[in-house]
Structure formats: structure tokens, C-alpha cells
Amino acid sequence: MHTRVTLHRDFVISEIDERLYGAFLEHMGRAIYSGIYEPGHPEANDDGFRRDVLDMVKELAPPIVRYPGGNFVSAYNWEDGIGPREERPVRLDLAWHSRESNQVGIHEFADWCELAGIDMMLAVNLGSRGIDAARNFLEYVNHPEGSAWSDLRIRNGRQAPWNVKLWCLGNEMDGPWQVGHKNADEYGHLANETGKALKAYDSSLELVACGSSNPDMASYPEWEATVLDHCYETVDYISLHMYFTNYADDLGSYLALSEKLDRYIGSIAGVIDYIKAKKRSTKDVHICFDEWNVWYHSTERDKRILQGNDWPFAPAILEDAYNVEDALLIGCVLNTFIRRSDRVRIACIAQLVNVIAPIMTESGGSAWRQTIFYPLYFASRFGRGKALRLAVDSPTYPVNELGDVPYLDVSAVHDEAQGTIALFIVNRHPSDSLEFDVDLGGFTSCRLIEHQSIDYPDMKAANTAEQPGHIQPTPGQGLTVDGSALKGALTPLSYHMVRLEVAE
């Protein structure tokens, strides 16, 4: 099967916001406790943060991490996580049916982010709380000194403010599972009034309003239209969430879910444009895709805890063990975000450690990279620059509700400063190689720098604590450069990252 890709230096979709490769940490399961924080572990530093986990996070280099939730935030009192640890209350977390010790709060999380070189993206509780708690939290985090909340921060050990610029106005408020669930008019009004209060303090803040929890919600896409009708001039982003499943064990349909994602983004982009036109606005609102990942492997196992009668501390929930087919889908999802980077400016993989995460740990034991770590690593490291618009000619296959889906999924990013192009490629075909021909227009020459691939015949193979390096990228084979063209073959069901040095 033959495929052809044409790109040109001057055909640019957008300059990619590096926050497209963000992440998410929630007080949920073992994401925080025995994830990033485990005092007494052999790898723990003096503050209890695991150095082995921190090193892996630094490899991924997420520019931002969203915190503290998630469903957790909708019944969270941020004040529980400040002050002397021995005085912090233990609370019941209604979202994840567990106990929260509050041993990690805003101070500890901020310290961890500074170690990792990450900016914080903070969420406020608009479920059980509202405007007053949100503005107090902002004052505690961002005001230098001379007010009640900023002076309390100083007494609690932090002199300088953290100056967090990106704030989420609640979480998944369209979901009936959410503590404090609201209809679109109720939430849109509250988001607007909360946003006005926060921007009264600092007009340069970036605010994210809650969009749909998934594209199958009955309220989608009317939810976005109603919410934005209330708060378009106040907020800067509308959030979207989507999780991917393969319960039917239908690999072709599973790998096509990135096409559903693309239509989801396109639909909400249309809603944004409609509200902008309706309000005769000159302002642009973008999409913040602040929860996305594969999530289904652990759902049956987790019911015992989530529907049980006890309230465990940091239970092992949502600990999906990711396989090769999951890595291929993650590659397709990241390609979609790159191709839609003119509308999706921020995205956060959910989550970062242990809970549906690219990094796994054992309590008291080792840490390892899951299969999905690698496409995220390559995109984060080499997918910064200008997303190029591609003309792709590929054979297709039929998928229910999606129509014809191309076997070839590809994106390209031009890093002008480095003089490189990175291509991220997935062959969805279950049995055939794809002949791959890329015409690099606008470049006088190119040289192959690096080709890495995930090409493993067992789609269900995964990494484990016993075999942490079982699935990992290997040097790719079969691609060559001829002048300003890249040619070769892509093996069936494979992921590829290709870097080229280019001259203009």
C-alpha cells in the first residue's frame, strides 16, 4: 500500500503552545501518595519526594501540571492543605471513596513543581464552594504580602508568591456525578462571576471554563454554547475531556478513536466561533483539553473500592497497565492535538503517575515507564515549533460512525531554531506495511538525524515492575532521504518518530 505526504515550509497551522504537552495530578488513588510523594522510600529526598519519579517526569518535561483535581476538587477545601502537617485534618473524599490526609497541599505541590521545572495550573472548587473561596485561594497563592491570606502564606513558610497565571473554574460541572453539579446556565453564570472576581485582582490571569466531560454527554455541544454565552468575554479557554476505551477488543475501531476526537474538537471550535460572532467579539477563546488518556483496563477491578463500604487511604485505583495498542492510540491522539494546535492550545494527559499514567511505581519499590510514556516523550521533546499543514494521500478502512479512516496517521513540526522537522507517524494497518513518501517542499535539502519506532508484534504486551523495559523504542529501519524527499516502508501497527535536519 502506497501513501504520500506533502508538506511545505510555508504551510503552517500554528505555532504550538508548549503547554500542549501538559499533565495532571489529582488527589486520587496513588497519584500523590506513593506516587510523587513517599517519605521513607529509598529514593525519597528530604521533603519526601521520590527522586526516581521526578527524574522520569523531567524526561517528559511537561510545562504545566493541573492540580488538585479533577472530581476531587469539587468538595475540596484548599485550606486543609496548609499549615503544620500534624494539625491538618483527615477528610473523606467523596469523589474517589477514600481518605485524604492533606499531607500534601499547595506548599508541597509547589515545591515539587519547582524541583521538576513545572508551572502550576490550579483548579478552584465551584462544586461545594464558590467565589469567596476561589478569590481567597488566589490571594494566598499570588499576593506578595500585606493581606490576611498572603501574610498567612508567609507565616506558613513561603515568602514569595507563586504567581500562578492559569486557573480552572471548577471541573466537569456538566456531569451529574460531580459534587455540586449544575446546569449550563447555573454554571455559566457562576463561572463568569468567579472569573470577574479573579480578574479584578489580576487581569492577566488565564481562566478555563468547564466544557463537556466527553462528546457522548446528552448536553454536548449545547453546554458549551450556553456556558460561553455567559462568560465568553471573561474566560480564555473552554475545557474538554475525553477518555478512550477498547472494551470490544476491536483494534481497528480503537485506533480510529482519534478521528472522533478530531470531530469533537472541530465541533467545539465551531461553537466558539458562533458565540464570538453572536457577541460581535474580537476576542479569541481557545480549547484547553485538560483531561485525556486511555482509561478502561482497571474499571471492573476498581468497583470493589469505589462502591465499597470502607474509606481507604491512597487505594490502588485506576492503575491501568498500558500495552502496545494503547501506545499507538496515544500517538494518534497527540498527532490530532498537533494538527489542531490552532484551536487546542493546552492539553493535559490524565494523569502523570500511577493513576491512568505513563509512570508507575511500587510502594517502597521501583518505578517504570509504561508503553504510553514514549509517544508522549517524543512529542513533548520534539513537537515544539510550528505545526505544518500536511496533504495526506492514504488508503482507508471503514469504521462504524466514523466512515473511512486513513491507515496512515501523521503530523509534522518544524523547529526553525534547531533547523529540524519532526514527523510523528502511526501505521494503523493490521497486516500490511505502508510505502511512505514525503515531499518536503520549501527545503533545499534534508538529512535523517533520528528514527525511533515502537514496532512489536504482540499488541497486548506491556511493561511491568518485573520487566520495566520490555516495550520501548528501538532504532527504526527502512527510511531514507533522497534530496528533499523521505521514503521507505512503515511496518504494520507501528509508531515512528523521525527527525530531519533541513536547509531552506
Side-chain angles (χ1 to χ4, degrees):
M1 289 187 173
H2 187 266
T3 63
R4 182 173 179 82
V5 177
T6 303
L7 61 83
H8 194 282
R9 174 197 61 203
D10 297 331
F11 295 167
V12 176
I13 298 170
S14 177
E15 182 77 29
I16 293 171
D17 188 321
E18 66 174 11
R19 296 175 298 180
L20 196 68
Y21 308 115
F24 175 37
L25 276 169
E26 182 172 5
H27 282 254
M28 174 187 183
R30 297 192 309 116
I32 302 295
Y33 306 110
S34 79
I36 66 168
Y37 177 77
E38 191 176 349
H41 189 280
E43 288 286 339
N45 67 10
D46 291 342
D47 294 319
F49 298 122
R50 287 186 57 159
R51 287 182 292 252
D52 53 349
V53 173
L54 193 60
D55 288 344
M56 291 182 186
V57 171
K58 288 179 179 179
E59 288 179 36
L60 290 177
I64 56 166
V65 172
R66 179 171 171 248
Y67 175 88
N71 294 349
F72 172 82
V73 80
S74 291
Y76 177 58
N77 299 330
W78 66 267
E79 303 93 332
D80 291 343
I82 63 175
R85 281 176 167 163
E86 64 274 11
E87 297 178 9
R88 296 181 189 179
V90 174
R91 302 287 190 191
L92 298 183
D93 171 24
L94 303 179
W96 303 110
H97 209 272
S98 55
R99 285 179 294 117
E100 170 55 52
S101 70
N102 286 299
Q103 292 302 289
V104 171
I106 182 61
H107 285 261
E108 292 77 22
F109 180 68
D111 288 345
W112 181 83
C113 284
E114 288 181 353
L115 289 173
I118 292 170
D119 288 334
M120 292 188 286
M121 174 184 183
L122 296 179
V124 299
N125 176 357
L126 293 188
S128 66
R129 306 184 85 181
I131 298 172
D132 209 41
R135 72 181 184 91
N136 292 343
F137 191 25
L138 173 63
E139 182 183 317
Y140 187 89
V141 169
N142 279 12
H143 195 62
E145 61 182 340
S147 70
W149 289 109
S150 61
D151 288 349
L152 179 58
R153 181 197 69 241
I154 294 169
R155 291 197 299 274
N156 285 333
R158 173 74 184 197
Q159 177 66 45
W162 290 293
N163 198 30
V164 174
K165 290 296 186 181
L166 186 57
W167 293 79
C168 302
L169 302 174
N171 174 75
E172 291 186 354
M173 299 309 297
D174 64 326
W177 57 84
Q178 202 71 213
V179 173
H181 161 65
K182 295 168 178 61
N183 65 39
D185 278 308
E186 292 169 336
Y187 171 71
H189 176 74
L190 178 59
N192 188 55
E193 294 304 314
T194 305
K196 284 162 54 181
L198 299 186
K199 286 196 170 182
Y201 172 75
D202 181 356
S203 62
S204 70
L205 296 178
E206 295 181 277
L207 303 182
V208 184
C210 293
S212 291
S213 300
N214 62 73
D216 298 320
M217 297 293 291
S219 57
Y220 159 82
E222 184 61 32
W223 172 275
E224 282 80 4
T226 302
V227 167
L228 286 174
D229 207 18
H230 283 278
C231 65
Y232 189 91
E233 296 296 343
T234 303
V235 303
D236 304 279
Y237 302 91
I238 187 84
S239 75
L240 295 179
H241 295 175
M242 187 174 180
Y243 292 98
F244 306 92
T245 68
N246 189 20
Y247 289 112
D249 198 18
D250 179 347
L251 183 55
S253 297
Y254 181 53
L255 295 182
L257 287 174
S258 58
E259 297 295 315
K260 183 176 181 178
L261 167 66
D262 183 74
R263 297 176 193 186
Y264 185 21
I265 294 168
S267 295
I268 298 307
V271 172
I272 293 170
D273 291 344
Y274 162 67
I275 297 298
K276 179 181 179 180
K278 179 182 177 181
K279 293 186 173 293
R280 310 299 193 265
S281 179
T282 59
K283 175 184 177 180
D284 289 322
V285 168
H286 290 97
I287 293 170
C288 174
F289 219 109
D290 52 27
E291 285 189 36
W292 67 272
N293 203 348
V294 173
W295 176 14
Y296 77 98
H297 296 285
S298 61
T299 50
E300 284 300 315
R301 183 176 66 247
D302 290 344
K303 288 179 180 178
R304 179 184 61 82
I305 293 173
L306 298 178
Q307 299 175 8
N309 296 318
D310 56 348
W311 295 81
F313 171 71
I317 56 173
L318 279 73
E319 297 198 0
D320 281 33
Y322 292 120
N323 56 34
V324 175
E325 66 187 27
D326 298 326
L328 299 183
L329 177 63
I330 294 302
C332 293
V333 170
L334 289 163
N335 282 348
T336 303
F337 289 150
I338 290 170
R339 294 192 298 261
R340 288 286 192 173
S341 57
D342 56 335
R343 307 310 295 257
V344 181
R345 306 302 290 166
I346 302 170
C348 301
I349 190 169
Q351 294 187 22
L352 189 55
V353 184
N354 285 334
V355 173
I356 47 174
I359 299 168
M360 289 297 298
T361 74
E362 289 184 315
S363 297
S366 64
W368 65 97
R369 302 163 187 81
Q370 296 229 64
T371 60
I372 66 169
F373 180 99
Y374 299 105
L376 185 62
Y377 167 84
F378 286 130
S380 179
R381 287 292 181 175
F382 305 122
R384 307 190 188 199
K386 292 181 177 179
L388 297 180
R389 193 173 303 280
L390 309 180
V392 179
D393 183 11
S394 168
T396 62
Y397 65 103
V399 176
N400 288 339
E401 300 181 3
L402 292 175
D404 291 335
V405 173
Y407 283 115
L408 176 67
D409 190 83
V410 58
S411 69
V413 178
H414 181 202
D415 184 338
E416 290 182 307
Q418 297 295 321
T420 60
I421 288 177
L423 292 109
F424 308 99
I425 310 156
V426 176
N427 178 3
R428 293 184 174 112
H429 202 288
S431 58
D432 290 355
S433 293
L434 294 178
E435 293 300 320
F436 187 58
D437 190 342
V438 183
D439 181 10
L440 297 143
F443 300 100
T444 58
S445 65
C446 60
R447 179 177 67 86
L448 183 62
I449 302 172
E450 184 180 10
H451 176 197
Q452 294 286 326
S453 69
I454 300 174
D455 179 9
Y456 197 83
D458 182 2
M459 290 291 105
K460 303 300 184 182
N463 292 337
T464 63
E466 294 74 29
Q467 291 184 296
H470 182 48
I471 305 298
Q472 56 185 317
T474 57
Q477 305 291 327
L479 293 182
T480 59
V481 170
D482 181 7
S484 60
L486 175 69
K487 299 181 179 182
L490 307 171
T491 49
L493 295 175
S494 58
Y495 167 90
H496 304 261
M497 187 285 297
V498 178
R499 293 179 65 223
L500 303 169
E501 181 181 73
V502 293
E504 301 180 23

